[in-house]
Amino acid sequence: MIFKYRFGNPIPTDTVVKESEVREDAVPFVTVLEGESISYEMADADIVYGLGENVRGINKRGWTYCSKCSDQPHHQEDTHSLYGAHNFLVVSGKETFGLFLDYSGVVSFDVGYTTKNGLVITPADWNFDLYILTGESVPAIVKEFRGMVGRSYIAPKWAFGYGQSRWSYMTADEVRQVVKKHRENDLPLDSVYLDIDYMERYKDFTLNEEAFPNFEDFVRELAEENIHLVPIIDAGVKKEDGYSVYEEGMEKGYFCTKEDGSPFVAAVWPGHAMFTDFLNSEAREWFGNQYAFLLDKGIDGFWNDMNEPAIFYTEDRLKEAFEKLDGFKGKNLAMEDFWALLDVTGSLSGNEEDYKTFYHEMNGQRIRHDKVHNLYGYNMTRAAGEAFERLSPDKRILMFSRASCIGMHRYGGIWQGDNKSWWSHLLMNLQMSPALNMCGFLYTGADLGGFGSNTTEELLLRWLAFGIFSPLMRNHAARDTRRQEIYEFEDIPAFRSILKLRYRLLPYLYSEYMKAALDNEMYFMPLAFAYPDDPRAARVEDQLLVGESLMIAPVYQPNAGGRYVYLPESMRMFRLKRDGSLESSILEAGDHYVEIPADEMIFFLRKGHLLPMAEGGNSVPEVDFENLTVFAYPDDGEVSYEYYHDDGVGKDYDNPENRAVITVSGDVRGYEVTV
């Protein structure tokens, strides 16, 4: 059931698509102190799931989290805010219920930090809708919530292939070389990403004609090799006379303004930039129509960036900083003075006071940005998604974003921000994935190998061994870091076997993604969701279920020759060898230490389940989704699997002909059949 309660005068977020009647009775489970907090007294064994994109484990107890979309490239264990703001959680234990705060401002979640059993939620003001959800299980509550907020974004099938990215591939010839190296080394590849340097001096919806001449022909050339170019679009529009996007936005009043109505100008990549007022429906439509510039050149995928929005500095803040810096000249900078000096420059970027200086026009009201901060990235991607429905109504377009809040999940996926080449971020990638699924974000993935810092061959191998199960599978690295394209490393055969397994698994992975999106289910799940009566499963933080049939247990520590794995039941373990072959064996329920050399990987097939696989290929169009080999671990008789398959391009998602049932029977030894 869904219980809805209204406090104050909420700003519409357009997050909820299935409305509920506002109730007047007491809010169940939680204690509401109006104007102060929403609280709940947890039991010692209660688990708190959810909160989407956040640090720490699957169980969120023991820390404070802040829903505030933040440009945070240095996130680590003590971080409180990341790029997304996802106000949905489920408490599982003495009482099991879901809680969602439909709210556009900043929210603090103290989950057993101040007091061990205290869950305390504190919004910045008291204008929000509070939803309490109940159900027979945690997955049932998640399903109820997902139905309430609407269907998750569905990407084109080619976007489930492997993508290669870097900040930046500077010329068309460099992109050609990336493609050539993958093809020469028999490494599958479906997309190459263009970061900010493909533009003319960082101006959205422009092209660097010198570096990327005859762009439309270039897009067509790559398409002949089954390669899709995916360019970046930034939130900041360069302030420059003669630049048509800037001039038209200014003329029509589509940019955010300061309190006095003058233009709000802040700096990002191009220097001085304007910020489109995405909360203004007319401005949103105008910006969305700009994507036609690249759609018309054959582009069918984009990634939106810097849309928290990120701010390097404002002119007012910079002027103030220079004045303060003058005060340090000639001084003997002792400890406190030196720290104060660092604070002057360190406070320029993303300064909270700057977010209080500009305004939006929304539904005829003028609203200060900090009141609706978390809606900004959501509505930038919404602008694109709504435009694609107008500009490309019959064809799916790839879209994912850095900043988000719940509601944006209907218009695009997300990547998990500017991570680092750290082993801890590989584990965080795994632990964050089911929490994002709970909030409706299914098309997700982290930068494989890590974006910042220098990766290692071992780390990239281990990260890919997890990444082949993520819907978004992209290798992305920052400028001035070690080149981390796969062909730059020594053990290309080991990388090749992992990548090729991804393409063999695509029939299953795509089928599970589509069913999760269409049926409001989860793609990644904690073990406890499928084994609620197993107390050990609830404590497993480093294994996940992938769809209905598979369990994964990635290696996430350096120099590890293997790892311990907990099996809630007997499972069939598959071992991928460096030559691409698969070996399998049956492991009984319980704890196992499994040896896993860096050039191998493992995954598990659950008892009573099937795994359809293809022959693979070096691009998605080469994968045969119809002639499959089915791996089975039968459980006393017939085993069935509902297989979803469509053309991967159109939007006839609900056609019953897209679903077929595969049924096999046999004994517990497991085997494979061709269907």
Side-chain angles (χ1 to χ4, degrees), residues 266-282:
V268 280
W269 302 120
H272 291 171
M274 315 300 293
F275 291 83
T276 302
D277 185 359
F278 292 115
L279 276 65
N280 177 337
S281 59
E282 292 183 5

Side-chain angles (χ1 to χ4, degrees), residues 32 135 168 176 228 342 397 455 483 502-503 524 574 601:
V32 178
S168 280
R176 290 186 178 100
H228 298 256
L342 295 179
I397 304 296
T455 197
R483 301 296 297 221
R502 163 70 168 207
Y503 284 71
F524 283 120
F574 288 86
M601 61 165 287

Side-chain angles (χ1 to χ4, degrees), residues 34 160 185 246 346 428 633:
E34 289 201 42
F160 291 79
N185 286 285
Y246 163 71
M428 185 169 66
Y633 185 11

Side-chain angles (χ1 to χ4, degrees), residues 169-181 194 210-213 218 221-222 483 487:
Y169 294 130
M170 303 298 293
T171 67
D173 283 342
E174 189 173 1
V175 173
R176 290 186 178 100
Q177 185 70 5
V178 170
V179 175
K180 180 183 178 183
K181 287 286 191 177
L194 299 180
E210 183 177 343
F212 292 89
F218 179 52
E221 170 194 332
L222 293 181
R483 301 296 297 221
Y487 50 76

Side-chain angles (χ1 to χ4, degrees), residues 547-613:
E548 67 177 66
S549 298
L550 298 186
M551 186 193 79
I552 58 174
V555 175
Y556 53 89
Q557 294 177 322
N559 304 309
R563 59 159 290 168
Y564 283 94
V565 177
Y566 174 67
L567 302 184
E569 62 179 338
S570 167
M571 294 187 186
R572 182 179 180 186
M573 185 181 80
F574 288 86
R575 179 182 297 275
L576 177 71
K577 309 291 284 186
R578 63 179 291 110
D579 64 2
S581 61
L582 281 175
E583 298 177 352
S584 74
S585 57
I586 303 299
L587 296 186
E588 297 303 319
D591 294 295
H592 301 267
Y593 182 81
V594 182
E595 293 188 358
I596 315 168
D599 60 355
E600 297 182 5
M601 61 165 287
I602 61 168
F603 61 96
F604 297 84
L605 177 60
R606 297 173 63 194
K607 192 172 186 178
H609 289 78
L610 303 180
L611 171 63
M613 293 179 66

Side-chain angles (χ1 to χ4, degrees), residues 129-410:
D129 286 335
L130 171 64
Y131 292 84
I132 302 294
L133 299 94
T134 61
E136 61 185 16
S137 65
V138 177
I141 292 170
V142 172
K143 185 179 178 73
E144 184 84 63
F145 174 73
R146 294 269 305 282
M148 185 179 87
V149 297
R151 177 176 289 177
S152 297
Y153 163 76
I154 294 175
K157 189 178 286 186
W158 64 261
F160 291 79
Y162 179 62
Q164 179 59 52
S165 183
R166 185 174 178 83
W167 173 30
S168 280
Y169 294 130
M170 303 298 293
T171 67
D173 283 342
E174 189 173 1
V175 173
R176 290 186 178 100
Q177 185 70 5
V178 170
V179 175
K180 180 183 178 183
K181 287 286 191 177
H182 279 83
R183 296 296 187 234
E184 284 179 348
N185 286 285
D186 191 24
L187 297 169
L189 184 69
D190 274 274
S191 55
V192 177
Y193 289 77
L194 299 180
D195 213 307
I196 54 177
D197 294 292
Y198 82 91
M199 305 176 193
E200 178 195 337
R201 293 180 293 116
Y202 311 131
K203 294 188 293 188
D204 281 339
F205 311 113
T206 66
L207 291 165
N208 182 336
E209 298 286 356
E210 183 177 343
F212 292 89
N214 306 312
F215 189 76
E216 193 168 346
D217 292 339
F218 179 52
V219 174
R220 189 178 303 112
E221 170 194 332
L222 293 181
E224 291 174 356
E225 296 193 56
N226 293 329
I227 299 294
H228 298 256
L229 272 183
V230 185
I232 198 170
I233 302 295
D234 280 340
V237 173
K238 183 176 174 65
K239 181 177 183 287
E240 178 180 273
D241 291 340
Y243 170 35
S244 62
V245 179
Y246 163 71
E247 290 188 337
E248 186 176 1
M250 286 295 293
E251 176 190 348
K252 296 185 176 180
Y254 288 156
F255 296 131
C256 294
T257 58
K258 296 164 73 171
E259 186 174 13
D260 62 4
S262 62
F264 172 74
V265 182
V268 280
W269 302 120
H272 291 171
M274 315 300 293
F275 291 83
T276 302
D277 185 359
F278 292 115
L279 276 65
N280 177 337
S281 59
E282 292 183 5
R284 193 163 61 238
E285 180 178 358
W286 167 78
F287 191 89
N289 287 338
Q290 305 304 314
Y291 287 84
F293 172 77
L294 290 163
L295 289 172
D296 290 346
K297 291 174 170 50
I299 294 297
D300 53 6
F302 302 88
W303 47 310
N304 285 346
D305 196 13
M306 304 293 285
N307 53 353
E308 291 72 34
I311 294 176
F312 292 170
Y313 63 86
T314 62
E315 275 299 306
D316 292 343
R317 188 77 45 203
L318 188 62
K319 179 181 177 181
E320 180 183 292
F322 282 134
E323 291 172 352
K324 288 182 178 179
L325 288 172
D326 282 340
F328 292 97
K329 288 182 179 179
K331 290 184 68 172
N332 175 15
L333 300 181
M335 179 180 67
E336 289 83 359
D337 290 331
F338 179 68
W339 286 350
L341 173 65
L342 295 179
D343 286 342
V344 171
T345 56
S347 64
L348 283 173
S349 179
N351 191 294
E352 289 189 16
E353 294 305 310
D354 287 334
Y355 292 105
K356 300 176 182 178
T357 64
F358 64 100
Y359 288 75
H360 299 270
E361 297 291 334
M362 183 181 181
N363 301 327
Q365 291 186 319
R366 190 162 167 77
I367 301 175
R368 201 173 72 185
H369 174 80
D370 60 311
K371 304 293 185 183
V372 290
H373 175 76
N374 292 333
L375 301 182
Y376 194 81
Y378 158 20
N379 279 279
M380 179 185 180
T381 297
R382 178 182 180 181
E386 291 174 340
F388 298 155
E389 289 297 318
R390 298 189 300 271
L391 302 171
S392 180
D394 301 320
K395 179 181 178 182
R396 303 181 213 174
I397 304 296
L398 172 63
M399 167 53 66
F400 59 93
S401 170
R402 192 170 75 176
S404 66
C405 69
I406 300 172
M408 200 211 80
H409 71 284
R410 300 192 299 270

